[in-house]
Amino acid sequence: MFKIDGHEFNTLDELNEFLIKAAEAYYNGEMIIADHVFDSMQAYYERKSGKEFQVGAKVTVGRTVDLAHSYKDFAGTLKKVKNIQELEKWYEKVGLSESEKVYASLKADGHSITVEVINVKGKPVIDKALTRGKDGKGKDLTSIFKANEKSLALPNLKADYAIGYEAVVTTENFEQFTQDHGELYKSPRSMIGGVMSEDGSVYFKYLSLIGLRIKLKDGWLTRSEQVEILNKYNHDNVGFEDYFEEYDDILELAETYRNVTEARFDLGIMCDGIVIEVFDEDLRQELGYADTHPHFAVALKFPPAAKETTVTDITWSTEGNSGRHTPMVHFKAVKIVGITYKKVSLANYDRFK
């Protein structure tokens, strides 16, 4: 048995199940643990199990066949830091000076999708599409993406390549979807799984795809070349920004979105951090990867968005396995980035305060 922030677990599998439950609750308008507690549990699980925990609600797809990724190290995840001090330590660890050029981009909170493209008579054609998955395999989304190939505006590179997207649903599209189809989902984030279901082609038009990276099958694109291509297709709010000399520019960008909650709301998508990555190609190659985590990039996570409301009631819930009684606070509904919250667990003393 082990304890994390007041929560007891008998096995790592039990912790994993609790993390899945907490993630699904979060993306469906409830919170059973605080963000910093979730992060501590996730870090503990990954350190002890040697496995990566995929954050977010489960994705249910019509075809549940596992499909192998063809591009090694392409669908990896980023190391995360929680504050400016940890970001400064990362700078030191990778050997960056404050005058080093880096790329900064907002970290949209959606699902990672890889689309593998082949060059057919000078035109880009989808060969396969799949989720990030694990162990080199993801869920097969090829039929859904091929059915909507014309709407994707794939870069025409006259070559075979893979393009990595973050699939999101904007608050505007979520509201339109709800108008068209009723309240089938509680949030933009939970709706993404529905878009990738058997009826995914019907709902696909409500999905937004943010291009993050490109890799050629034969040949090489520098990161600056990738960014130049991607910025032609990405929305202004989620494109990449260059910072040449001033380290303070990164801090200013981070603090704007960390401290001014409304700035995040105005983006129209769920966004939980800023991605900062090394620009210099030689240094990127030198730093390389650890498993699927690149050493040359890091995600600075935002603190949770917050709004004031009024408590209306407190009830108790009982966990089936442990029999533990947990107070649940109910409050006047508040909406944060398209998700309506009405209650939250007071599972530990910090949260209760």
Side-chain angles (χ1 to χ4, degrees):
M1 179 179 289
F2 53 94
K3 184 182 289 187
I4 306 173
D5 284 285
H7 295 263
E8 294 181 354
F9 302 96
N10 293 308
T11 64
L12 288 175
D13 285 342
E14 187 177 312
L15 172 58
N16 183 59
E17 287 301 316
F18 184 81
L19 286 169
I20 292 171
K21 177 183 175 182
E24 290 180 339
Y26 173 79
Y27 289 115
N28 285 283
E30 297 181 12
M31 295 179 70
I32 60 175
I33 53 173
D35 277 10
H36 73 275
V37 177
F38 184 95
D39 290 342
S40 296
M41 290 181 176
Q42 181 186 355
Y44 183 95
Y45 174 79
E46 292 182 345
R47 185 171 67 253
K48 293 294 185 179
S49 69
K51 300 176 182 178
E52 179 188 339
F53 178 79
Q54 301 291 340
V55 179
K58 294 179 181 177
V59 182
T60 304
V61 296
R63 296 180 62 190
T64 57
V65 177
D66 283 338
L67 196 61
H69 286 270
S70 304
Y71 292 75
K72 187 177 181 296
D73 295 332
F74 189 68
T77 57
L78 294 174
K79 173 181 172 59
K80 298 173 181 65
V81 295
K82 301 174 187 175
N83 51 52
I84 299 299
Q85 290 71 33
E86 290 185 7
L87 176 62
E88 289 171 345
K89 288 181 182 178
W90 177 78
Y91 257 75
E92 293 174 8
K93 187 174 182 179
V94 299
L96 284 179
S97 68
E98 293 188 359
S99 62
E100 190 83 41
K101 182 178 178 182
V102 297
Y103 281 121
S105 57
L106 291 173
K107 182 178 175 294
D109 188 9
H111 282 297
S112 296
I113 304 295
T114 295
V115 176
E116 297 184 11
V117 178
I118 55 176
N119 178 37
V120 178
K121 297 181 179 179
K123 294 182 179 180
V125 176
I126 292 176
D127 183 42
K128 57 185 176 182
L130 60 165
T131 63
R132 179 168 58 198
K134 61 181 180 179
D135 300 327
K137 293 182 178 180
K139 297 303 180 184
D140 187 0
L141 305 175
T142 307
S143 60
I144 294 171
F145 273 70
K146 284 190 75 69
N148 294 275
E149 191 166 7
K150 291 181 180 178
S151 66
L152 290 182
L154 293 166
N156 191 354
L157 306 182
K158 309 291 185 183
D160 294 355
Y161 66 89
I163 182 166
Y165 292 106
E166 189 75 1
V168 300
V169 175
T170 66
T171 51
E172 182 181 358
N173 281 353
F174 179 68
E175 288 168 1
Q176 185 61 55
F177 174 88
T178 302
Q179 226 176 5
D180 296 344
H181 300 280
E183 296 183 1
L184 301 181
Y185 301 99
K186 292 184 178 181
S187 72
R189 184 62 168 71
S190 63
M191 178 184 156
I192 298 173
V195 173
M196 298 173 192
S197 69
E198 292 179 356
D199 297 324
S201 291
V202 178
Y203 300 155
F204 195 89
K205 66 179 181 180
Y206 302 100
L207 193 69
S208 295
L209 295 171
I210 302 168
L212 301 179
R213 64 190 75 86
I214 302 174
K215 186 173 185 177
L216 297 179
K217 183 178 181 182
D218 299 305
W220 186 259
L221 287 174
T222 65
R223 188 57 178 148
S224 57
E225 289 171 333
Q226 293 179 49
V227 168
E228 184 178 355
I229 294 168
L230 293 168
N231 271 347
K232 292 179 180 178
Y233 295 89
N234 283 339
H235 189 279
D236 290 343
N237 282 347
V238 290
F240 297 87
E241 299 186 42
D242 292 351
Y243 290 88
F244 292 84
E245 297 179 357
E246 297 296 330
Y247 175 70
D248 288 344
D249 289 340
I250 292 291
L251 302 187
E252 182 180 347
L253 178 69
E255 289 304 315
T256 296
Y257 288 100
R258 281 173 64 85
N259 295 329
V260 185
T261 302
E262 297 304 324
R264 281 189 259 168
F265 297 161
D266 291 343
L267 293 173
I269 59 171
M270 293 181 70
C271 175
D272 61 357
I274 293 175
V275 175
I276 299 159
E277 55 182 307
V278 174
F279 174 83
D280 182 79
E281 201 65 33
D282 290 337
L283 184 53
R284 289 172 69 92
Q285 295 301 310
E286 181 183 331
L287 291 170
Y289 289 80
D291 296 324
T292 60
H293 298 267
H295 288 306
F296 51 76
V298 69
L300 172 63
K301 286 199 69 177
F302 294 145
K307 283 189 175 182
E308 289 190 6
T309 183
T310 303
V311 173
T312 58
D313 195 9
I314 293 180
T315 59
W316 294 83
S317 66
T318 304
E319 293 181 15
N321 294 331
S322 67
R324 180 187 296 133
H325 301 291
T326 304
M328 183 76 66
V329 62
H330 301 254
F331 45 81
K332 290 183 179 178
V334 289
K335 183 174 281 191
I336 299 178
V337 198
I339 303 178
T340 300
Y341 294 95
K342 298 179 181 179
K343 60 182 178 179
V344 66
S345 167
L346 303 180
N348 59 57
Y349 184 63
D350 285 342
R351 186 138 201 161
F352 192 88
K353 287 192 295 184

